[in-house]
């Protein structure tokens, strides 16, 4: 069974190289079309995390059907006079607050307003008061103009010296514009790393140019889709991080192969298709593994995660297509410039020395001496590496999952200030009310009875009936503990377990909902989805890598290495963000780990680790097929690929780290975890543990049973037979001309 992928890639690159103007025109047209459609559609991403089928979601659906006025978003407005002797209950302040709150009743999309004095929401000290705004529209659909109207109505209150802060599922300024600065910083650093690696402007600019075209196309496509589907804003960030980093990585890998060919005396016309047939095959396998891992997110059955996975998978697919078509076209335009070194001091001459030396003598590079060290001290290196990752993984055992609340925001944020003022004035529970929806209530006394039963439950601070209509009664329950406290989660479970006792003889049926309950449900569902997802992804990877390398030991070793780096990265994330070690370094408020983080980390670190695994192992296998000495192959293969993998990993690392400089704690955590994961996986696992293990197992690693070779086609991932065929073809051509002569 023959499936030489390298042949197809060779032909594709040959076509793209010859018809480069056409290829470039098609990609530019695609990018422009995506921009135009995105602008016309006016799609916006949002941050509401819901999961159909959870009890909180069912409660929300009942409200939408029977009590639509209370089914939308809520805003809490916090009034405070913390400094001096003034109180919110002073006549002037009180009048200003009442006037402002009554103005809100005329704002479009507002269905109910409760001012702090009617709702008896004034703290005992008289320093803090809570106003409530109920919107008729779901949080994402509340118009910005109406939120601005709320803000403007509060100006006279602020002029009176009262502090006004906002919290809730929707509030003025809740749509945070994600800044473009991190990507720019990441790209500048990436360009620097590529300049150091290649020492040539054309070579350093090309992967970046390709990645940018790919990312613009994908992101605009996602924005256009967001006008039809709900897309979480974190998913665009993840798609962006991956699109940039994978795009640059794939370009880098093919380009470095092409440049070695040029330095060894090939013409660009011969070299581009050959580089694509050899390095391109590993890029295709690496990309497929990432795409499969990301599409695996749909298995979990959580809509916002499926969308996140598909958006990221789309950006990696575009990055792959660009590497296979646009890159050879651009290399055609560049000709031999890729191998021309810059005249800049320090960069050009040094890069040229290194490149020419390692093209001529691969054993002379720094990577090669590292590979010799690993192979020589393989057993202590293996033990040391595993011990290091094991120690880093320890904090992961204390992981607590939750969704971001006001408490996890940075100190200057209005949501955080509102959270702290509310806690100070009333207690943490007032930040996370639960909504109890009672169905089948026909008498006011039934509502009173249910409310009475609820207020007797442990850990309940306050119970207030809000509205009753169409046989539905809505009751607000304030817990004593904060929205992300484990006590609140236990309260939600207790209420659901003791339903019958609370309903009593009323014949009603209660559901526990509201944002806090919804977050608890989402986190629980995500925790239980993690093992399923892990099994699916690991299973698929196992099949794909077994097919690529035709041996069972390579995938097993790859997956064990991935689990180690995943555990270590999670451990580092818990120590930094949950234990609060990062408070002094990055000014991060200690908070629970975002509940969807482990799943996205699994998908992404898994994908990237497979990238590097394929790059390293395919080079080792290539050396092994050439000379048959397993240990020597590990040394030469690792040595020749170390420079590229280091550059690729450092680029990924810097793009992820750049995202830590945003204000959004969620994106900070995502950036940090990805950066640590990639760093550990590339340097500790792929460039250290993998060669050490391969040097210990030696040629037994490449064993596969007879039937395997017979039934399973060989994808020729190293381009071995392609090179063989080309050399035969060249010999035949030479023989032909000799005969004719």
């Amino acid at each position: 069974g023959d499936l030489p992928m390298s042949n197809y890639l060779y032909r594709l690159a040959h076509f793209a190289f010859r018809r480069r103007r056409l290829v470039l025109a098609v990609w530019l047209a695609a990018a422009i079309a995506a921009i135009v459609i995105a602008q016309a559609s006016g799609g916006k991403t949002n941050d509401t995390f819901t999961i159909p089928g959870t009890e909180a979601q069912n409660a929300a659906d009942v409200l939408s059907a029977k009590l639509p006025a209370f089914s939308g978003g809520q805003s809490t407005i916090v009034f405070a006079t913390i400094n001096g002797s003034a109180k919110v209950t002073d006549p002037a302040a009180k009048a200003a607050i009442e006037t402002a709150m009554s103005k809100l009743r005329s704002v479009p999309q507002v269905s109910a307003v409760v001012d702090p004095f009617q709702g008896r929401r004034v703290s005992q000290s008289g320093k803090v008061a809570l106003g409530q705004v109920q919107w008729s529209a779901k949080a994402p659909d509340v118009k910005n103009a109406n939120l601005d109207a709320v803000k403007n109505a509060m100006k006279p209150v602020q002029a009176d010296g009262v502090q006004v802060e906002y919290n809730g599922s929707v509030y003025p300024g809740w749509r945070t514009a994600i800044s473009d600065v991190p990507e720019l910083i990441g790209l500048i650093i990436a360009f620097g790393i590529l300049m150091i690696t290649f020492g040539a402007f054309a070579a350093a600019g090309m992967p970046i140019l390709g990645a940018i075209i790919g990312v613009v196309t994908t992101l605009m496509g996602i924005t256009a889709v967001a006008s039809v589907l709900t897309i979480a804003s974190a998913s665009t960030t993840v798609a962006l991080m991956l699109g940039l980093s994978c795009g640059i990585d794939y370009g880098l890998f093919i380009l470095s192969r092409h440049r070695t060919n040029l330095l060894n005396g090939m013409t660009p016309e011969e070299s581009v298709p050959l580089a694509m047939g050899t390095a391109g095959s590993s890029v295709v396998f690496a990309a497929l593994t990432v795409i499969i891992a990301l599409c695996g997110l749909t298995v979990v059955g959580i809509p916002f995660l499926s969308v996140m996975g598909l958006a990221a998978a789309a950006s990696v697919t575009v990055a792959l297509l660009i590497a296979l078509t646009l890159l050879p076209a651009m290399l055609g335009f560049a000709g031999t410039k890729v191998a021309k070194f810059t005249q800049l001091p320090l960069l050009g001459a040094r890069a040229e020395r290194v490149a020419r030396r390692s093209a001529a003598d691969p054993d002379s590079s720094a990577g090669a001496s590292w590979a010799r060290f690993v192979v020589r001290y393989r057993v202590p290196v293996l033990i040391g590496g595993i011990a290091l990752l094991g120690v880093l993984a320890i904090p992961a055992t204390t992981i607590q999952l939750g969704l971001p609340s006001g408490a996890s925001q940075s100190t200057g944020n209005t949501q955080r200030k509102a959270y702290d003022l509310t806690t100070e004035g009333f207690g943490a529970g007032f930040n996370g009310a639960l909504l109890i929806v009672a169905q089948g209530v026909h008498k006011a006394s039934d509502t009173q009875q249910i409310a009475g039963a609820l207020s007797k439950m442990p850990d309940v601070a306050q119970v207030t009936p809000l509205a009753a209509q169409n046989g539905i009664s809505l009751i607000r329950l304030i817990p004593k503990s904060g929205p992300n406290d484990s006590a609140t989660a236990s309260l939600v479970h207790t209420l659901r377990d003791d339903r019958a006792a609370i309903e009593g003889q009323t014949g009603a049926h209660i559901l526990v909902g509201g944002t806090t309950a919804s977050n608890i449900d989402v986190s629980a569902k995500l925790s239980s989805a993690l093992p399923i997802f892990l099994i699916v992804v690991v299973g698929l990877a196992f099949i794909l890598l077994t097919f690529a390398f035709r041996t069972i030991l390579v995938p097993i070793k790859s997956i064990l290495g991935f689990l180690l780096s995943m555990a270590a990265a999670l451990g580092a994330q818990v120590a930094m963000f949950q234990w609060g070690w990062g408070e002094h370094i990055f000014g991060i408020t200690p908070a629970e780990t975002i509940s969807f983080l482990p799943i996205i980390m699994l998908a992404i670190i898994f994908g990237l680790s497979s990238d590097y695994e394929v790059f390293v192992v395919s080079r080792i296998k290539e050396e092994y097929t050439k000379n048959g000495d397993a240990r020597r192959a590990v040394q030469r293969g690792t040595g020749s690929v170390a420079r590229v993998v280091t550059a690729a990993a450092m680029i990924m690392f810097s793009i992820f780290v750049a995202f830590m400089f945003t204000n959004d704690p969620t994106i900070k955590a995502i950036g940090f975890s990805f950066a640590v994961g990639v760093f550990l996986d590339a340097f500790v696992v792929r460039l250290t543990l993998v060669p050490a293990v391969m040097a210990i197992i030696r040629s037994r690693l490449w064993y596969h049973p007879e039937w395997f070779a017979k039934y399973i086609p060989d994808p020729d991932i190293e381009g071995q037979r392609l090179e063989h065929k080309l050399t035969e073809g060249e010999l035949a051509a030479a023989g032909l001309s000799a005969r004719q002569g």
Side-chain angles (χ1 to χ4, degrees), residues 627-685:
N627 59 29
D629 176 349
R631 214 163 261 173
R632 176 104 185 85
V634 170
Q635 201 173 301
R636 285 202 69 153
T638 310
S640 63
V641 87
R643 191 178 169 79
V644 187
V645 169
T646 300
M650 285 315 296
I651 286 169
M652 289 257 180
F653 179 74
S654 47
I655 287 176
F656 293 156
V657 165
F659 277 91
M660 289 191 58
F661 296 98
T662 53
N663 296 329
D664 187 325
T666 309
I667 290 173
K668 257 190 181 146
I670 291 178
F672 176 80
S673 321
F674 288 4
V676 173
V678 163
F679 188 86
L680 293 174
D681 199 88
F683 295 113
V684 181
V685 178

Side-chain angles (χ1 to χ4, degrees), residues 528-672:
S528 59
L530 203 59
I532 306 166
F533 178 60
L534 187 63
I535 291 165
V536 169
V537 167
V538 163
L540 286 169
F542 184 74
I543 294 167
L544 200 69
L545 289 169
T546 308
F547 175 64
F549 292 116
R550 316 185 60 65
T551 156
I552 212 148
L553 288 172
V554 169
I556 290 175
K557 156 187 79 55
S558 170
I559 287 162
L560 289 175
F562 149 69
L563 292 174
L564 269 175
S565 45
M566 174 71 196
L570 262 184
Q573 133 78 29
V574 170
M576 272 295 178
F577 286 77
Q578 203 178 292
W579 291 5
W581 291 10
E583 205 165 0
H584 313 298
I585 309 168
F586 306 114
I588 299 162
T589 315
E592 57 303 304
T593 301
I594 297 141
S595 48
F596 57 81
L597 186 68
I599 285 200
I600 318 178
M601 269 175 80
L602 263 185
I604 286 183
I605 291 174
F606 169 74
L608 299 181
S609 73
S610 316
D611 268 8
Y612 301 139
E613 174 77 10
V614 169
F615 293 162
V616 173
V617 177
S618 64
R619 268 323 266 277
I620 294 176
K621 186 176 180 191
E622 196 175 325
E623 291 295 333
Y624 178 66
T625 352
K626 277 180 191 157
N627 59 29
D629 176 349
R631 214 163 261 173
R632 176 104 185 85
V634 170
Q635 201 173 301
R636 285 202 69 153
T638 310
S640 63
V641 87
R643 191 178 169 79
V644 187
V645 169
T646 300
M650 285 315 296
I651 286 169
M652 289 257 180
F653 179 74
S654 47
I655 287 176
F656 293 156
V657 165
F659 277 91
M660 289 191 58
F661 296 98
T662 53
N663 296 329
D664 187 325
T666 309
I667 290 173
K668 257 190 181 146
I670 291 178
F672 176 80

Side-chain angles (χ1 to χ4, degrees), residues 464-482:
T464 325
L466 290 182
Q469 167 190 344
N470 300 339
I472 300 287
S473 184
L474 182 62
I475 301 170
R476 184 196 292 125
L477 184 152
I478 307 283
K480 283 179 183 156
S481 46

